[in-house]
Amino acid sequence: MSHLSFEQLLQQEKFSRDDLAKMLTADEENTLKLLARAEEVRLTNVSRNVYLRGLIEISNICSKDCYYCGIRKSNKNTYRYELSSDEILSAAEFAYKNRFGSIVLQGGEITSSRYTEWISTLLKEIKNLSNGELGITLSLGEQSKETYEEWFRLGAHRYLLRIESSDSCLYSSIHPHNNLHSYRNRLHSLGLLKEVGYQVGTGVMIGLPGQTVDQLAGDLLFIKSHDIDMVGMGPYIEHKDTPLYSRRDELAPIEERYLLGLKMVACLRILMSDINIAAVTALQAIKPEGREMAIKAGANVIMPNITPGIWRNVYKLYENKPTISQNDEENLAQLISRITAVGYNVQLDSWGDSLHFKGRK
Ligand code: SAM
Ligand code: SF4
């Protein structure tokens, strides 16, 4: 048992699972200390800069059936779409012209050759339209090593694949029990991405039914021990058309999941000072200022949604996903001024690569 004060605990160089659990369960007074320490670590190591990735939700068609996700294959209550190549290219062009620096292509998991070739063609076209300047992150689930290699060769340089929970028992309680949803395969895919040469991103959901603070502390140590370059993690938010909705009585109130999300960001920043951490949309879904709060807690990446407006509400992973009331230029200007107002600096025209990745290479 450690006899350190909370302030001393925060100043350590190494953190045990117990230390992290203590930080995650901090009371109000200690939470302020935790957030302040995270901000200090962030300013020393990754500056006040915040990088943009324009998020394009290319399709909500998925071959998988994760118990928590609103676009899971078996949900018959959702309209399915796949954006046309033109829609995706004009969103990429919007990001380029508005100096986002990079984009993320995200979608359900499809492994057919038609699909993987379509992505390859898009990568070439996006590189062409931006003179090779637009950075490209993919978040398209588990694919073969050959597919990961092909997409990397064509210019995708970052890949996000959340482990969802690093605890294999918890993982199996939120997924069907078959090969398509195996923890081992997910972990294997993360290894492949690193082997191929991507900047590798992962993350977890926070506040899942049955999840403990000790497991979340384990998630943070998992991210550190796997030497991850970038992280997107946020609160689990229930969706009524999913199997996990039946366990909603086990959930902590949404405000608590939000606060735990901010504490996870702060702990991770202290644990891994030079990685990229995203201020995720799920935080904004709970509180309008959620992403700015995450920036102050140590996040340095934000992913404004630039999916064509009519489709944005159909890509519905969870309830209360933020909708839009104005056009994307206005949204962007407002986002920049909100980030500036909390003392941070949106870095336009920049890939904003993970410093950790540069060090790892
Ligand atoms: N299909 C790809 C995959 O699963 O890796 C990428 C898209 S998937 C929709 C992106 C992330 O959404 C998942 O990794 C998961 O963590 C998150 N997500 C899905 N349902 C969620 C929910 N109900 N609450 C919060 N996050 C959710
Ligand atoms: Fe498909 Fe990803 Fe949703 Fe799982 S989380 S059902 S893989 S879109």
Side-chain angles (χ1 to χ4, degrees):
M1 197 62 192
S2 135
H3 297 291
L4 301 176
S5 69
F6 196 74
E7 288 83 350
Q8 288 169 327
L9 183 76
L10 293 178
Q11 294 296 333
Q12 297 178 111
E13 290 199 347
K14 282 197 173 158
F15 294 85
S16 69
R17 200 163 163 132
D18 280 352
D19 294 336
L20 292 166
K22 224 181 217 171
M23 287 151 72
L24 292 172
T25 47
D27 61 14
E28 218 174 305
E29 192 187 334
N30 283 341
T31 298
L32 294 177
K33 293 178 192 162
L34 170 69
L35 297 177
R37 174 68 185 141
E39 190 165 31
E40 184 181 45
V41 172
R42 176 251 174 68
L43 293 178
T44 313
N45 293 280
V46 291
S47 80
R48 288 191 184 273
N49 288 345
V50 174
Y51 301 99
L52 300 179
R53 317 318 186 194
L55 175 65
I56 310 175
E57 296 160 334
I58 63 170
S59 166
N60 70 350
I61 301 170
C62 188
S63 61
K64 288 173 81 165
D65 245 340
C66 308
Y67 290 160
Y68 42 85
C69 179
I71 63 172
R72 65 196 297 270
K73 181 181 176 192
S74 300
N75 180 11
K76 304 285 179 244
N77 292 337
T78 188
Y79 181 85
R80 301 289 170 172
Y81 74 88
E82 183 177 270
L83 297 186
S84 68
S85 299
D86 282 352
E87 283 172 314
I88 295 171
L89 296 176
S90 52
E93 202 156 12
F94 170 84
Y96 182 52
K97 290 201 170 129
N98 285 277
R99 308 171 59 201
F100 277 65
S102 8
I103 55 168
V104 181
L105 302 184
Q106 189 183 76
E109 187 175 305
I110 300 288
T111 54
S112 67
S113 52
R114 179 201 74 85
Y115 189 82
T116 58
E117 282 159 23
W118 178 53
I119 301 295
S120 296
T121 310
L122 284 170
L123 290 173
K124 283 183 233 165
E125 290 174 349
I126 293 167
K127 283 289 167 191
N128 275 341
L129 72 81
S130 67
N131 300 316
E133 287 170 27
L134 208 48
I136 308 176
T137 305
L138 298 177
S139 176
L140 301 171
E142 295 163 45
Q143 302 285 343
S144 68
K145 185 170 187 194
E146 293 66 38
T147 300
Y148 285 151
E149 279 170 342
E150 166 88 351
W151 291 346
F152 185 72
R153 191 178 59 74
L154 293 172
H157 60 127
R158 299 189 278 243
Y159 205 104
L160 287 173
L161 186 77
R162 286 188 178 180
I163 191 71
E164 315 297 2
S165 167
S166 65
D167 183 296
S168 58
C169 292
L170 180 59
Y171 186 95
S172 78
S173 76
I174 59 169
H175 293 97
H177 300 164
N178 57 39
N179 242 350
L180 199 58
H181 299 83
S182 113
Y183 178 81
R184 278 171 69 113
N185 290 348
R186 195 86 177 162
L187 201 55
H188 180 67
S189 294
L190 273 179
L192 291 179
L193 290 167
K194 196 178 253 183
E195 258 173 64
V196 172
Y198 286 93
Q199 288 175 56
V200 180
T202 194
V204 295
M205 280 178 289
I206 298 160
L208 287 161
Q211 189 179 43
T212 64
V213 165
D214 181 64
Q215 286 167 331
L216 288 169
D219 290 337
L220 294 169
L221 292 175
F222 170 94
I223 292 169
K224 175 140 177 103
S225 67
H226 285 76
D227 211 9
I228 290 296
D229 304 305
M230 46 191 211
V231 171
M233 59 183 175
Y236 160 68
I237 306 177
E238 59 274 34
H239 188 298
K240 64 178 169 30
D241 297 321
T242 62
L244 217 54
Y245 194 66
S246 65
R247 294 181 62 189
R248 63 192 177 282
D249 293 348
E250 297 172 45
L251 298 173
I254 195 84
E255 296 266 325
E256 267 178 45
R257 279 177 265 160
Y258 167 82
L259 194 58
L260 199 50
L262 291 183
K263 288 181 184 171
M264 283 286 282
V265 168
C267 287
L268 184 62
R269 175 54 70 204
I270 296 170
L271 197 62
M272 298 187 78
S273 57
D274 60 354
I275 61 170
N276 277 353
I277 305 178
V280 300
T281 315
L283 288 166
Q284 188 199 1
I286 302 175
K287 279 191 191 262
E289 72 281 14
R291 291 184 305 180
E292 291 88 275
M293 294 309 291
I295 296 287
K296 282 188 67 60
N300 64 335
V301 166
I302 214 153
M303 295 165 39
N305 197 330
I306 57 165
T307 308
I310 45 164
W311 300 117
R312 213 169 291 182
N313 299 336
V314 188
Y315 192 86
K316 207 164 180 193
L317 311 178
Y318 44 76
E319 307 292 338
N320 298 328
K321 186 180 161 202
T323 51
I324 38 154
S325 53
Q326 49 198 7
N327 71 38
D328 284 335
E329 274 98 353
E330 282 171 309
N331 272 328
L332 178 62
Q334 208 173 69
L335 178 69
I336 293 178
S337 72
R338 290 173 71 142
I339 292 173
T340 313
V342 290
Y344 287 86
N345 169 38
V346 174
Q347 197 66 20
L348 296 172
D349 289 324
S350 169
W351 281 13
D353 279 344
S354 154
L355 294 180
H356 186 80
F357 176 76
K358 289 179 185 161
R360 179 158 81 73
K361 286 277 131 183

